[in-house]
Amino acid sequence: MKKNTFKSSIDLAFKQHKNLYIISFILVISGIATGCILAITRSDNVDITVKQYFENFMTALTLQGISKSEVFRLSFFNSLNAFAIISISGLFLWLLPLGGIQLFMNGFKLGFTLLYFVKLFHLKGFIIALFFLLPQIILFIPATCYLYINKIIVINKRNFFRKVGFSYTTKTEFFKSFLVSFLIYWLITLFSCIVDGYLIPPIIILFSKFFI
């Protein structure tokens, strides 16, 4: 019964805000496409330099290992930066494009990295990039999309209630909406950071021998 209720709630939320989900999807896909185009158009001289740098990096990685806590820290601050930008964009209607730019850039980094690795290393590049980006694809990007959509919904509700007047109930509703979006975003992204920092590096080291 609870599973059916939860599924029904998700279905209802998607139907009510379907356009927002579509817009978020388009922003991310546009970023991915732009990143792919830029990766393809990079000059061969730059490609050779980057390829040599990456091969040297993989050699050092195999010999010296990698600081898992440092990877976690970098991933966490990346998530914190995204949260700050989208939260700021949710303060006023005219700031909403900031959140859209954040979604676009998430897609851009994903598309550029994935295709650039494929361009340099072909199938090996695809495999290593996929492991690098897996937490981003499965966890971080959906979480930022959810947060952005929630901010748009809250702004629309706030503008509506400003016209009809706020009450204790509406203020409580706003607080709950903020708290739920905050908890969901950070639960997902913290898990993404843990995967990024402590699960992905050993896999990367395992595959690094194919690049040296």
Side-chain angles (χ1 to χ4, degrees):
M1 179 66 74
K2 287 184 178 180
K3 286 184 178 180
N4 291 335
T5 304
F6 181 69
K7 185 177 182 300
S8 299
S9 300
I10 293 175
D11 290 341
L12 180 62
F14 179 76
K15 288 176 182 177
Q16 287 178 336
H17 308 294
K18 182 170 65 175
N19 290 339
L20 297 180
Y21 285 97
I22 292 172
I23 290 170
S24 297
F25 178 77
I26 290 172
L27 285 169
V28 174
I29 293 299
S30 299
I32 291 172
T34 306
C36 289
I37 292 169
L38 187 61
I40 291 172
T41 55
R42 299 280 285 187
S43 69
D44 292 338
N45 290 334
V46 174
D47 290 348
I48 292 169
T49 303
V50 172
K51 187 174 183 179
Q52 288 173 344
Y53 173 82
F54 184 74
E55 286 172 344
N56 292 335
F57 168 77
M58 289 307 243
T59 302
L61 188 66
T62 304
L63 296 174
Q64 301 173 12
I66 188 170
S67 172
K68 296 177 182 179
S69 59
E70 182 66 15
V71 175
F72 174 85
R73 187 184 69 82
L74 291 172
S75 182
F76 175 80
F77 277 105
N78 180 52
S79 302
L80 187 63
N81 180 63
F83 179 81
I85 291 173
I86 293 177
S87 295
I88 290 170
S89 77
L91 293 176
F92 302 101
L93 189 63
W94 56 274
L95 284 176
L96 276 178
L98 278 178
I101 292 171
Q102 177 64 46
L103 295 190
F104 177 87
M105 290 307 299
N106 287 346
F108 176 84
K109 288 184 284 187
L110 175 65
F112 180 84
T113 306
L114 185 59
L115 199 67
Y116 202 58
F117 271 63
V118 171
K119 183 183 177 184
L120 293 179
F121 301 104
H122 309 296
L123 181 59
K124 292 188 296 184
F126 175 78
I127 293 171
I128 200 77
L130 194 61
F131 279 113
F132 265 128
L133 300 170
L134 202 57
Q136 301 279 320
I137 298 168
I138 298 176
L139 299 169
F140 178 67
I141 290 179
T144 52
C145 286
Y146 166 78
L147 185 66
Y148 183 59
I149 290 167
N150 181 267
K151 295 302 177 185
I152 296 175
I153 294 168
V154 168
I155 283 181
N156 288 334
K157 285 183 178 179
R158 187 176 65 199
N159 290 339
F160 172 76
F161 285 120
R162 275 178 178 169
K163 294 177 182 177
V164 301
F166 282 94
S167 65
Y168 175 79
T169 304
T170 55
K171 288 179 180 178
T172 303
E173 183 181 329
F174 273 109
F175 177 74
K176 285 181 179 177
S177 178
F178 168 78
L179 188 61
V180 168
S181 64
F182 178 86
L183 290 174
I184 289 176
Y185 175 82
W186 280 111
L187 282 173
I188 295 173
T189 52
L190 280 175
F191 181 66
S192 173
C193 292
I194 291 169
V195 173
D196 248 342
Y198 296 97
L199 297 181
I200 298 299
I203 297 174
I204 299 299
I205 291 173
L206 182 67
F207 278 99
S208 64
K209 62 183 179 180
F210 294 110
F211 293 85
I212 58 177

